[in-house]
Amino acid sequence: MVKKLTDYPKMKEIIYGILFQGEKYSYEAENGHIRIGEMFGFLKEKDGVVCVSNRIFEMKLYNIFLSEEETDTKIFTVAETEKNQFVRGGVLQMELVLQKFCEYFEEIYSDADDKDNGRRSMNFQ
């Protein structure tokens, strides 16, 4: 489902509008975006209006959109707060960027290193 939504952003936009904004789209079988949604089984026609084809897809798509918004919002918030530490006086502090990268890299791979019975350390000084 997620791949199809990613591959067809206009179809994704239509589904999002139906689910979250209560938008109503007139059904037109020749509309390529609607036709693709029908082909994947996400959309159908009901009383001349496009709607999500069934309750299972409706809930799954709804949860996918909520999850994307939640993670995107958290990532954006963290990025905004973290960004300030790397720019001082309009200048990117590249040494600090590399230092934080190394810390992050070690944090991510420390579990794998621990399994190898020893931690490797990165030091770029």
Side-chain angles (χ1 to χ4, degrees), residues 7-54:
D7 290 347
Y8 299 95
K10 186 62 180 174
M11 179 192 67
K12 179 180 181 177
E13 183 182 313
I14 290 169
I15 295 170
Y16 184 91
I18 292 168
L19 292 175
F20 286 91
Q21 298 165 336
E23 291 184 17
K24 301 226 183 281
Y25 295 93
S26 298
Y27 180 80
E28 173 51 60
E30 297 304 316
N31 180 314
H33 308 298
I34 294 170
R35 190 172 56 238
I36 289 170
E38 282 183 306
M39 181 178 70
F40 295 136
F42 300 156
L43 299 173
K44 70 176 185 178
E45 181 269 336
K46 183 177 180 183
D47 300 325
V49 177
V50 178
C51 63
V52 177
S53 62
N54 62 56

Side-chain angles (χ1 to χ4, degrees), residues 68-113:
E68 285 179 355
E69 284 190 14
E70 184 177 78
T71 55
D72 290 348
T73 301
K74 285 181 182 177
I75 289 170
F76 179 77
T77 302
V78 169
E80 280 298 307
T81 57
E82 295 289 320
K83 177 180 79 170
N84 295 334
Q85 69 178 320
F86 299 115
V87 178
R88 292 194 188 115
V91 177
L92 177 64
Q93 304 297 308
M94 195 60 186
E95 188 172 319
L96 182 60
V97 170
L98 290 172
Q99 177 187 349
K100 292 294 183 179
F101 170 77
C102 292
E103 289 172 11
Y104 180 66
F105 187 85
E106 283 186 2
E107 181 181 317
I108 291 174
Y109 291 103
S110 67
D111 290 337
D113 291 343

